[in-house]
PDB file of all heavy atoms in Angstrom:
ATOM      1  N   LYS A 213     129.558 105.260 122.168  1.00 46.00           N
ATOM      2  CA  LYS A 213     129.229 103.898 122.535  1.00 46.00           C
ATOM      3  C   LYS A 213     127.805 103.569 122.118  1.00 46.00           C
ATOM      4  O   LYS A 213     126.956 104.441 122.089  1.00 46.00           O
ATOM      5  CB  LYS A 213     129.356 103.723 124.048  1.00 46.00           C
ATOM      6  CG  LYS A 213     130.774 103.887 124.533  1.00 46.00           C
ATOM      7  CD  LYS A 213     130.851 103.681 126.009  1.00 46.00           C
ATOM      8  CE  LYS A 213     132.282 103.905 126.462  1.00 46.00           C
ATOM      9  NZ  LYS A 213     132.456 103.703 127.861  1.00 46.00           N
ATOM     10  N   PRO A 214     127.545 102.290 121.786  1.00 48.00           N
ATOM     11  CA  PRO A 214     126.168 101.891 121.468  1.00 48.00           C
ATOM     12  C   PRO A 214     125.251 102.144 122.655  1.00 48.00           C
ATOM     13  O   PRO A 214     125.706 102.125 123.802  1.00 48.00           O
ATOM     14  CB  PRO A 214     126.282 100.380 121.179  1.00 48.00           C
ATOM     15  CG  PRO A 214     127.729 100.110 120.984  1.00 48.00           C
ATOM     16  CD  PRO A 214     128.480 101.194 121.677  1.00 48.00           C
ATOM     17  N   PRO A 215     123.939 102.352 122.406  1.00 47.00           N
ATOM     18  CA  PRO A 215     123.007 102.664 123.490  1.00 47.00           C
ATOM     19  C   PRO A 215     123.012 101.648 124.624  1.00 47.00           C
ATOM     20  O   PRO A 215     122.887 102.010 125.771  1.00 47.00           O
ATOM     21  CB  PRO A 215     121.638 102.692 122.803  1.00 47.00           C
ATOM     22  CG  PRO A 215     121.942 103.000 121.388  1.00 47.00           C
ATOM     23  CD  PRO A 215     123.282 102.398 121.113  1.00 47.00           C
ATOM     24  N   ASN A 216     123.172 100.355 124.322  1.00 46.00           N
ATOM     25  CA  ASN A 216     123.130  99.375 125.399  1.00 46.00           C
ATOM     26  C   ASN A 216     124.321  99.499 126.329  1.00 46.00           C
ATOM     27  O   ASN A 216     124.273  99.034 127.457  1.00 46.00           O
ATOM     28  CB  ASN A 216     123.022  97.951 124.843  1.00 46.00           C
ATOM     29  CG  ASN A 216     124.205  97.575 123.974  1.00 46.00           C
ATOM     30  OD1 ASN A 216     124.995  98.423 123.569  1.00 46.00           O
ATOM     31  ND2 ASN A 216     124.307  96.307 123.660  1.00 46.00           N
ATOM     32  N   GLN A 217     125.413 100.126 125.880  1.00 42.00           N
ATOM     33  CA  GLN A 217     126.545 100.344 126.756  1.00 42.00           C
ATOM     34  C   GLN A 217     126.463 101.691 127.458  1.00 42.00           C
ATOM     35  O   GLN A 217     127.077 101.873 128.497  1.00 42.00           O
ATOM     36  CB  GLN A 217     127.847 100.258 125.973  1.00 42.00           C
ATOM     37  CG  GLN A 217     128.157  98.850 125.500  1.00 42.00           C
ATOM     38  CD  GLN A 217     129.450  98.795 124.724  1.00 42.00           C
ATOM     39  OE1 GLN A 217     130.146  99.800 124.584  1.00 42.00           O
ATOM     40  NE2 GLN A 217     129.772  97.626 124.200  1.00 42.00           N
ATOM     41  N   LEU A 218     125.722 102.624 126.896  1.00 39.00           N
ATOM     42  CA  LEU A 218     125.594 103.940 127.513  1.00 39.00           C
ATOM     43  C   LEU A 218     125.008 103.861 128.907  1.00 39.00           C
ATOM     44  O   LEU A 218     125.543 104.431 129.836  1.00 39.00           O
ATOM     45  CB  LEU A 218     124.692 104.847 126.667  1.00 39.00           C
ATOM     46  CG  LEU A 218     125.315 105.577 125.508  1.00 39.00           C
ATOM     47  CD1 LEU A 218     124.247 106.355 124.767  1.00 39.00           C
ATOM     48  CD2 LEU A 218     126.414 106.498 125.961  1.00 39.00           C
ATOM     49  N   HIS A 219     123.911 103.125 129.058  1.00 40.00           N
ATOM     50  CA  HIS A 219     123.244 103.128 130.347  1.00 40.00           C
ATOM     51  C   HIS A 219     124.048 102.401 131.409  1.00 40.00           C
ATOM     52  O   HIS A 219     123.936 102.699 132.581  1.00 40.00           O
ATOM     53  CB  HIS A 219     121.818 102.577 130.243  1.00 40.00           C
ATOM     54  CG  HIS A 219     121.718 101.116 130.004  1.00 40.00           C
ATOM     55  ND1 HIS A 219     121.792 100.581 128.754  1.00 40.00           N
ATOM     56  CD2 HIS A 219     121.565 100.095 130.867  1.00 40.00           C
ATOM     57  CE1 HIS A 219     121.680  99.278 128.842  1.00 40.00           C
ATOM     58  NE2 HIS A 219     121.543  98.952 130.108  1.00 40.00           N
ATOM     59  N   SER A 220     124.896 101.456 131.037  1.00 39.00           N
ATOM     60  CA  SER A 220     125.668 100.749 132.048  1.00 39.00           C
ATOM     61  C   SER A 220     126.840 101.587 132.535  1.00 39.00           C
ATOM     62  O   SER A 220     127.365 101.350 133.611  1.00 39.00           O
ATOM     63  CB  SER A 220     126.167  99.412 131.504  1.00 39.00           C
ATOM     64  OG  SER A 220     127.044  99.638 130.422  1.00 39.00           O
ATOM     65  N   GLN A 221     127.256 102.579 131.763  1.00 42.00           N
ATOM     66  CA  GLN A 221     128.388 103.410 132.124  1.00 42.00           C
ATOM     67  C   GLN A 221     127.982 104.708 132.823  1.00 42.00           C
ATOM     68  O   GLN A 221     128.790 105.344 133.453  1.00 42.00           O
ATOM     69  CB  GLN A 221     129.192 103.766 130.868  1.00 42.00           C
ATOM     70  CG  GLN A 221     129.753 102.564 130.147  1.00 42.00           C
ATOM     71  CD  GLN A 221     130.779 101.818 130.968  1.00 42.00           C
ATOM     72  OE1 GLN A 221     131.594 102.445 131.637  1.00 42.00           O
ATOM     73  NE2 GLN A 221     130.727 100.504 130.949  1.00 42.00           N
ATOM     74  N   ALA A 222     126.727 105.091 132.704  1.00 42.00           N
ATOM     75  CA  ALA A 222     126.279 106.377 133.246  1.00 42.00           C
ATOM     76  C   ALA A 222     126.091 106.295 134.758  1.00 42.00           C
ATOM     77  O   ALA A 222     125.733 105.254 135.290  1.00 42.00           O
ATOM     78  CB  ALA A 222     124.979 106.798 132.595  1.00 42.00           C
ATOM     79  N   GLN A 223     126.330 107.392 135.415  1.00 47.00           N
ATOM     80  CA  GLN A 223     126.132 107.482 136.852  1.00 47.00           C
ATOM     81  C   GLN A 223     124.767 108.073 137.151  1.00 47.00           C
ATOM     82  O   GLN A 223     124.333 108.988 136.464  1.00 47.00           O
ATOM     83  CB  GLN A 223     127.215 108.377 137.478  1.00 47.00           C
ATOM     84  CG  GLN A 223     128.624 107.838 137.276  1.00 47.00           C
ATOM     85  CD  GLN A 223     128.820 106.489 137.950  1.00 47.00           C
ATOM     86  OE1 GLN A 223     128.384 106.297 139.073  1.00 47.00           O
ATOM     87  NE2 GLN A 223     129.451 105.562 137.259  1.00 47.00           N
ATOM     88  N   PRO A 224     124.063 107.598 138.177  1.00 46.00           N
ATOM     89  CA  PRO A 224     122.763 108.167 138.522  1.00 46.00           C
ATOM     90  C   PRO A 224     122.893 109.630 138.914  1.00 46.00           C
ATOM     91  O   PRO A 224     123.895 110.038 139.493  1.00 46.00           O
ATOM     92  CB  PRO A 224     122.285 107.339 139.716  1.00 46.00           C
ATOM     93  CG  PRO A 224     123.158 106.134 139.741  1.00 46.00           C
ATOM     94  CD  PRO A 224     124.429 106.489 139.037  1.00 46.00           C
ATOM     95  N   ASN A 230     118.507 107.726 136.475  1.00 51.00           N
ATOM     96  CA  ASN A 230     119.579 107.741 135.503  1.00 51.00           C
ATOM     97  C   ASN A 230     118.977 108.104 134.150  1.00 51.00           C
ATOM     98  O   ASN A 230     118.330 107.291 133.512  1.00 51.00           O
ATOM     99  CB  ASN A 230     120.243 106.362 135.463  1.00 51.00           C
ATOM    100  CG  ASN A 230     121.452 106.343 134.579  1.00 51.00           C
ATOM    101  OD1 ASN A 230     121.571 107.138 133.658  1.00 51.00           O
ATOM    102  ND2 ASN A 230     122.353 105.432 134.850  1.00 51.00           N
ATOM    103  N   VAL A 231     119.185 109.332 133.720  1.00 48.00           N
ATOM    104  CA  VAL A 231     118.566 109.856 132.508  1.00 48.00           C
ATOM    105  C   VAL A 231     119.004 109.067 131.284  1.00 48.00           C
ATOM    106  O   VAL A 231     118.191 108.747 130.422  1.00 48.00           O
ATOM    107  CB  VAL A 231     118.886 111.359 132.330  1.00 48.00           C
ATOM    108  CG1 VAL A 231     118.338 111.873 131.020  1.00 48.00           C
ATOM    109  CG2 VAL A 231     118.326 112.146 133.486  1.00 48.00           C
ATOM    110  N   LEU A 232     120.275 108.710 131.193  1.00 47.00           N
ATOM    111  CA  LEU A 232     120.754 107.960 130.038  1.00 47.00           C
ATOM    112  C   LEU A 232     120.094 106.588 129.956  1.00 47.00           C
ATOM    113  O   LEU A 232     119.823 106.091 128.876  1.00 47.00           O
ATOM    114  CB  LEU A 232     122.269 107.806 130.072  1.00 47.00           C
ATOM    115  CG  LEU A 232     123.060 109.064 129.740  1.00 47.00           C
ATOM    116  CD1 LEU A 232     124.549 108.791 129.818  1.00 47.00           C
ATOM    117  CD2 LEU A 232     122.705 109.579 128.364  1.00 47.00           C
ATOM    118  N   THR A 233     119.825 105.964 131.073  1.00 49.00           N
ATOM    119  CA  THR A 233     119.149 104.666 131.064  1.00 49.00           C
ATOM    120  C   THR A 233     117.761 104.807 130.495  1.00 49.00           C
ATOM    121  O   THR A 233     117.327 104.008 129.662  1.00 49.00           O
ATOM    122  CB  THR A 233     119.060 104.067 132.488  1.00 49.00           C
ATOM    123  OG1 THR A 233     120.377 103.884 132.972  1.00 49.00           O
ATOM    124  CG2 THR A 233     118.317 102.752 132.487  1.00 49.00           C
ATOM    125  N   VAL A 234     117.034 105.826 130.897  1.00 47.00           N
ATOM    126  CA  VAL A 234     115.677 106.047 130.406  1.00 47.00           C
ATOM    127  C   VAL A 234     115.703 106.300 128.910  1.00 47.00           C
ATOM    128  O   VAL A 234     114.930 105.706 128.156  1.00 47.00           O
ATOM    129  CB  VAL A 234     115.009 107.233 131.145  1.00 47.00           C
ATOM    130  CG1 VAL A 234     113.678 107.582 130.509  1.00 47.00           C
ATOM    131  CG2 VAL A 234     114.841 106.894 132.616  1.00 47.00           C
ATOM    132  N   VAL A 235     116.603 107.141 128.448  1.00 51.00           N
ATOM    133  CA  VAL A 235     116.669 107.490 127.035  1.00 51.00           C
ATOM    134  C   VAL A 235     117.118 106.292 126.197  1.00 51.00           C
ATOM    135  O   VAL A 235     116.524 105.986 125.181  1.00 51.00           O
ATOM    136  CB  VAL A 235     117.613 108.697 126.804  1.00 51.00           C
ATOM    137  CG1 VAL A 235     117.857 108.926 125.332  1.00 51.00           C
ATOM    138  CG2 VAL A 235     117.029 109.935 127.457  1.00 51.00           C
ATOM    139  N   ALA A 236     118.159 105.600 126.635  1.00 56.00           N
ATOM    140  CA  ALA A 236     118.707 104.500 125.848  1.00 56.00           C
ATOM    141  C   ALA A 236     117.792 103.281 125.842  1.00 56.00           C
ATOM    142  O   ALA A 236     117.695 102.575 124.855  1.00 56.00           O
ATOM    143  CB  ALA A 236     120.084 104.118 126.375  1.00 56.00           C
ATOM    144  N   SER A 237     117.109 103.025 126.931  1.00 66.00           N
ATOM    145  CA  SER A 237     116.309 101.805 127.004  1.00 66.00           C
ATOM    146  C   SER A 237     114.866 102.009 126.569  1.00 66.00           C
ATOM    147  O   SER A 237     114.164 101.040 126.322  1.00 66.00           O
ATOM    148  CB  SER A 237     116.343 101.248 128.429  1.00 66.00           C
ATOM    149  OG  SER A 237     115.726 102.147 129.317  1.00 66.00           O
ATOM    150  N   ASP A 238     114.395 103.234 126.481  1.00 73.00           N
ATOM    151  CA  ASP A 238     113.004 103.496 126.125  1.00 73.00           C
ATOM    152  C   ASP A 238     112.916 104.670 125.154  1.00 73.00           C
ATOM    153  O   ASP A 238     112.380 105.723 125.498  1.00 73.00           O
ATOM    154  CB  ASP A 238     112.207 103.781 127.400  1.00 73.00           C
ATOM    155  CG  ASP A 238     110.706 103.813 127.141  1.00 73.00           C
ATOM    156  OD1 ASP A 238     110.248 103.222 126.152  1.00 73.00           O
ATOM    157  OD2 ASP A 238     109.995 104.438 127.939  1.00 73.00           O
TER     158      ASP A 238
END
Side-chain angles (χ1 to χ4, degrees):
K213 295 181 182 181
N216 61 347
Q217 291 180 3
L218 276 177
H219 71 276
S220 63
Q221 299 295 320
Q223 299 297 317
N230 186 335
V231 175
L232 286 179
T233 299
V234 172
V235 171
S237 65
D238 190 23

